[in-house]
Amino acid sequence: MAEAVLTPDPYILFLLGLGLVVLLVSWAPVGLSRLPLTLPILCVALGWGVFSSGLLAFNPDPRTWDTATERLTELVVIISLMGAGLKLDRPPGLKAWGTTWRLLAVTMPLTIAAVAWLGMAGLGFSLAMALLLGAAMAPTDPVLAADVQVGPPRSGDEDEVRFGLTSEAGLNDALAFPFVHLAILASLGGLASEGLTDWLTLKVVWKILAGAAVGWLVGRAFGFLIFHSERTGLHRLGDGLVALAATLVAYAATELAHGYGFLAVFVAAVTIRGWERDHEFHQQMHDFSDQIERLLIMLLLVLFGGALANGLLDSLTWSDAAIALVILLVVRPAAGLVAMIGAPRPWREKLLLAFLGIRGVGSVYYVAYGLNHGDFGSSERLWAIVGLVILASIVIHGVTATPLLARLAKWRSATPG
C-alpha cells in the first residue's frame, strides 16, 4: 500500500510536464535571449531527460504511433502556415517574390534529386525509399523556422533573407507533396506509363491548382467577412480565433476537393493579409496563431526528445550519420547557392538564404504520411536519418541563426546604399 501511495500518477506527471512546457513557451523567449540556446533545443533536452528517467512508461516513438504522428504534425504545420502567411507585408508578385521563386523552382528540385541519389548510392535505399527521403528533406520547415522568419504584421522586420525563408517555407511544403506521392507510387510498383500519367495529372496539376484556387476563395471569403463592414465585420470581435477558423476551413475544403491543403492554407493567409493591410486585426490573428503554434510545437519537441531517449537513432551507422549531415550542411546550401546565381542580392544574403534551410516538423509529417500510404518495408534507418537531420538542424541553425542575422543587419546599417 505504501509503495502504491509513493508511486507518482503518470497523469499527474503529464500535467506537471504540460505546465512546465507552457511556462517555457511564455518565459523562455526572454530568458534565453542572451544565451546560446533556443526554446526548441531546451524542449528536446527536456523531453530526453524526462523520458530517460523512466518516470513515464509512454514511448513517443513515431515508428509506433505512425497515424498519430501524421495527424499531429499535420495540425501543427497548417497552423504554422497560416501564421507565416499573415506575417508577410509584401504583396505577391513575380519580381517582389523573386527570391521565393528561385528557391522553389531551383533549390527544391535540386535538393530532392541530390538527396534521392544519396539515398540510393550512399545508403542503399530502394528508389521509393530514396524518393521519400528526398521529398521529406526538401522543404524549409515553417514551424521551426520562426527565428529566421519575418516579424509580426506591420512590424517592418522583413528583410530579403527573412522574407525569402518565410515565403519559401509557406509554399514548399505543398510543392514537395507530389514527390511524396511519386515515392508512394514507386513503393507500390506503379511507375508504369499509366501510373505516371495519373500522378502528373492528378497529384501534380490538379492538386496544386485546386489548392491554390480553394485557398484563394476561402481567403477572399474570410477577408470579406472580417474587413468588409466597419459595423458587422468580424474584426469588431477582436478575437484572433478567426485565424484558426480560416485555417481549418481552408484545409478541410481543399482536402474535400482533393487538392493540397497545405498550399490552400498559405494562399488563404496571404489573401486575407491583402485585405486592409494596415488594419490592426492582422496582428491579433497572427498573435493567436503564433501562441497556438508555439504551444503545439513545444509539445512535439518534448515528444521528439522522448523518441530520441527511447532509441529513435539506434539504427544509425556512421555512414548514415555522415550522409545526414551532408544533406543538411552541403546539399541544401549548395542547391540554395545555385538558385541565387544571378540574383541581384549581396553575397551575404545569398549565403544565409542557402544555409538557413531549417528542417523539422514538415519532414516528420511527410515520412509518416508516405509510410502510412505506401509499402516501403522496414523504415528504421529512414526514421533514424530524418531524426538526426532534424536534431542537427535544431542545434546548428538554432545556435547560429540569430547571431548571423544580427551580423547581417549590422552590416546593412554600416553599408551605404
Side-chain angles (χ1 to χ4, degrees):
M1 180 65 70
E3 182 180 354
V5 172
L6 294 176
T7 302
D9 185 340
Y11 173 69
I12 300 301
L13 291 175
F14 168 77
L15 292 181
L16 174 62
L18 181 61
L20 291 175
V21 170
V22 173
L23 180 63
L24 283 175
V25 169
S26 302
W27 166 81
V30 176
L32 296 176
S33 59
R34 296 185 178 182
L35 297 175
L37 290 175
T38 62
L39 186 53
I41 294 175
L42 199 59
C43 285
V44 172
L46 175 64
W48 186 88
V50 169
F51 284 91
S52 294
S53 68
L55 292 175
L56 295 177
F58 172 67
N59 181 1
D61 195 318
R63 296 169 296 185
T64 302
W65 303 93
D66 47 4
T67 301
T69 298
E70 178 188 338
R71 293 308 182 193
L72 184 57
T73 52
E74 178 182 44
L75 177 62
V76 177
V77 170
I78 62 174
I79 292 175
S80 177
L81 289 171
M82 175 58 66
L86 291 174
K87 290 178 183 180
L88 296 175
D89 292 334
R90 190 183 307 185
L94 289 177
K95 185 176 181 180
W97 286 39
T99 299
T100 312
W101 309 134
R102 286 173 175 270
L103 292 172
L104 294 174
V106 179
T107 302
M108 174 177 284
L110 285 179
T111 301
I112 293 173
V115 173
W117 180 81
L118 284 172
M120 295 179 66
L123 299 172
F125 283 173
S126 65
L127 173 61
M129 187 79 82
L131 279 173
L132 182 59
L133 178 63
M137 291 290 97
T140 294
D141 192 58
V143 182
L144 293 182
D147 289 340
V148 301
Q149 290 185 355
V150 301
R154 305 183 303 148
S155 67
D157 187 13
E158 193 171 280
D159 60 67
E160 191 64 25
V161 173
R162 292 183 181 275
F163 172 81
L165 293 170
T166 305
S167 54
E168 179 203 8
L171 289 169
N172 65 8
D173 268 305
L175 298 182
F177 226 139
F179 298 96
V180 176
H181 283 295
L182 185 62
I184 294 171
L185 187 65
S187 75
L188 299 174
L191 290 183
S193 59
E194 184 178 347
L196 288 175
T197 300
D198 175 79
W199 171 77
L200 182 62
T201 55
L202 297 181
K203 300 301 191 295
V204 179
V205 177
W206 171 255
K207 281 183 171 290
I208 290 176
L209 291 177
V214 175
W216 182 82
L217 290 172
V218 171
R220 293 289 297 177
F222 270 86
F224 180 86
L225 292 172
I226 295 169
F227 298 110
H228 181 68
S229 174
E230 284 297 324
R231 291 183 299 173
T232 60
L234 291 177
H235 66 83
R236 296 181 66 253
L237 300 175
D239 192 344
L241 193 62
V242 173
L244 180 59
T247 302
L248 300 178
V249 169
Y251 187 78
T254 306
E255 290 297 314
L256 289 173
H258 302 288
Y260 287 131
F262 285 176
L263 178 60
V265 171
F266 184 73
V267 170
V270 172
T271 305
I272 292 171
R273 186 71 184 90
W275 287 73
E276 302 290 341
R277 285 193 172 274
D278 293 328
H279 202 288
E280 63 182 11
F281 192 61
H282 288 293
Q283 177 79 45
Q284 296 174 28
M285 288 191 294
H286 166 266
D287 289 348
F288 180 85
S289 292
D290 182 64
Q291 289 174 342
I292 298 298
E293 176 192 343
R294 281 192 294 149
L295 178 59
L296 289 175
I297 184 54
M298 294 315 141
L299 286 172
L300 268 181
L301 288 175
V302 169
L303 295 175
F304 177 61
L308 295 174
N310 280 280
L312 182 65
L313 306 184
D314 284 355
S315 61
L316 276 178
T317 65
W318 285 109
S319 60
D320 292 346
I323 288 178
L325 294 178
V326 167
I327 290 171
L328 184 67
L329 300 177
V330 178
V331 172
R332 158 65 195 210
L337 288 175
V338 170
M340 291 297 109
I341 293 175
R345 308 305 313 173
W347 66 269
R348 289 174 175 83
E349 292 187 358
K350 294 179 181 180
L351 285 174
L352 287 184
L353 282 164
F355 173 67
L356 294 175
I358 297 174
R359 300 304 184 249
V361 176
S363 298
V364 176
Y365 171 77
Y366 280 134
V367 171
Y369 181 93
L371 294 177
N372 287 339
H373 292 80
D375 184 14
F376 293 88
S378 175
S379 60
E380 300 289 318
R381 289 177 63 212
L382 176 65
W383 274 117
I385 292 166
V386 171
L388 180 59
V389 170
I390 294 171
L391 178 61
S393 182
I394 289 173
V395 175
I396 296 172
H397 292 131
V399 171
T400 61
T402 299
L404 287 174
L405 289 171
R407 290 185 64 180
L408 179 64
K410 185 178 180 180
W411 172 79
R412 282 201 196 95
S413 64
T415 305

